[in-house]
Amino acid sequence: MTETTQGDQSSPEAAPASNSGESTGSADHRAGGTPGEPQERPRPFWMRLFGHDLSAPLLLLVLSIALFAPGQWTVPPLDRDEPRFTQATKQMLETGDYVDIRFQDEARHKKPVGIYWLQAAAVKLTGHDASAPLWAYRLPSLIGSVLAVLLAYWMARAFTGPPASLLVGLFMAAAIIVGVEARLAKTDAVLFAAILLAQGALARLWMRDSEQRQWGLAFVFWTALAAGVLIKGPVAPMIVGLTVIALFALTRKLRWFKSAVPLLGALWFVLLVVPWFVAIWIATDGTFFEEAIGKDLLGKVGQGQEGHGAPPLTHLGAMFGVFWPLPAFVILSISTIWRERASRLVVFSAAWFLPSWVVFELVATKLPHYTMPLLPALALPVAAALVDGAGENARKSVRWLAAILLALPPLGLAVASFAGPLYLGDWPSPPGVVLCAIGAVLVLFSASRVLAGAALHGVPTAVAASLAIAVGFWGFVGPALTTIWVSPRLVEAIDSVTACNDPMVVTTGFHEPSFIFLQGTDTKIVPAAQAVEFLNESSANYAGCRIAVIESRQEDAFLGAAKAIGLVPKLVSRLEGLNINGGKQLDIGLYRAGAPAEKAE
């Protein structure tokens, strides 16, 4: 497994290397070993073409935009986390209060303010106000995901040449979980970029193995760490800190960390994060920390919140799906990585992955995106192993297992793109089905290359399959699933039954945050009796500007309360759908107060 500090000169012992991309061009930095001659291997044409420090980042930039852009404008808000974030940002823009975080009248003291500030900045920079379309709120996640792909390349360049680093970036861009988070206006994509920035700087500090202060890298490291804290609290310090501790445990050396200027760096870190924490302490009289640490953070550690509890090793199983297509190539690379386990590249990857993975497995609350910051720690040694020929001499059973792992997710999505809409009662999107089918064909070709012992040659077709599926699913299949997009249909129905520019709306039994975000902050969530009182206030002077949204499970209580006060609500519209949170069938009626003539039985 070859390693290099090509271009970055991250290690003082690194031998000068060509930047041609014909090979990793490295001196061998194996812990406890001696430098050896790099092994030249024939490279695929695409790697010779793009395996350079200029062309590789350009390719990754174009590819990641092509992968992450579809659906940004057409996929409605995905309940429940995304609209909670966007609604809180929307209220910041409406009120001008950029310190306290609220969802309607409820304090939202779960995450720090960083993502809300970024979303508010994106809305303003695109020329919108609080009524901005959803894509404006999603811009930070889109940009964060693109940056994460480029930063993964930069991180890998601390250890290896452009060809292997390009592979790392390709695995990041094609990963299912990165594509999902790129389309959700919440914390994780931006956090991912911040962690990669910090880890890339840390890798260079460690590879240089010097006590001499590295001011530029230290500034990048501590600034990225502070950004991670302002985005999602302790997650970034935990992952980076555990990496440092594990590096010390594995190498028994910590003097190199002096080059990060720890005292001044920690002071800079504090100066960046403390002002908002002091402001929120004052604004909330300390309740933010009680909620964020005492309930949200510790609650997730001790028990599964919101039905997301799962036993240990759940994350390991989930990685085989959400990290696709990487897991197939992990299977092929295990023996090579183990053989080179003393190399600095593998040591750093292990220090990054293993301790944080153990922590995530021990935490009671488990969601697939929690382990996304560990994805590059797997991709780095796998990419280096593939460049060195991993999979060429693997046993037939191993190649079959890898081919199956590679083929199953796209084949499943291709089938689901056709059968899923039919099951929900929608008509499949023809372009979406065709594109997903193309992705399935491409991945079968990639799997055939894996079976033939040419895993490296199967990577570009796997990435092409990911692109076809991303465009097909996010651009066409997803937006066409009208049954599950209940909130947008409700908003359209309300607009169609009232002539008011700004109707007053209450909702009973349907409480999804997406509806609040789309309909407006003034939308009230009330019990059935209050919904009746709300309509009764307009009954004397009928105007039709008040709408009560009543889910069928609350309809009897609503109609009973109305009958008790002599009100006869008028059903003006009805729609059905499926709530993707819990899978419950929904039957929702839209009511307004009856006109005077309509009140007599």
Side-chain angles (χ1 to χ4, degrees), residues 484-500:
I484 66 172
W485 306 127
V486 178
S487 293
R489 291 163 54 211
L490 265 180
V491 173
E492 291 177 2
I494 291 170
D495 289 341
S496 69
V497 300
T498 177
C500 303

Side-chain angles (χ1 to χ4, degrees), residues 104-105 504-511 515-516 519-527 530-531 534 547-549:
Q104 293 191 305
D105 296 329
M504 301 173 65
V505 179
V506 298
T507 178
T508 301
F510 182 70
H511 304 157
F515 181 55
I516 306 301
Q519 183 59 43
T521 303
D522 292 334
T523 305
K524 303 298 182 184
I525 300 171
V526 299
Q530 289 188 23
F534 167 80
I547 300 293
V549 175

Side-chain angles (χ1 to χ4, degrees), residues 12-32:
E13 301 90 4
S18 164
N19 199 32
S20 66
E22 291 298 317
S23 73
T24 52
S26 66
D28 194 1
H29 288 285
R30 297 187 177 96

Side-chain angles (χ1 to χ4, degrees), residues 236-248 351-352 354-357 359:
M238 182 200 78
I239 292 173
V240 176
L242 287 176
T243 303
V244 174
I245 293 170
L247 287 173
F248 170 69
W352 182 347
L354 290 174
S356 294
W357 169 63
V359 170

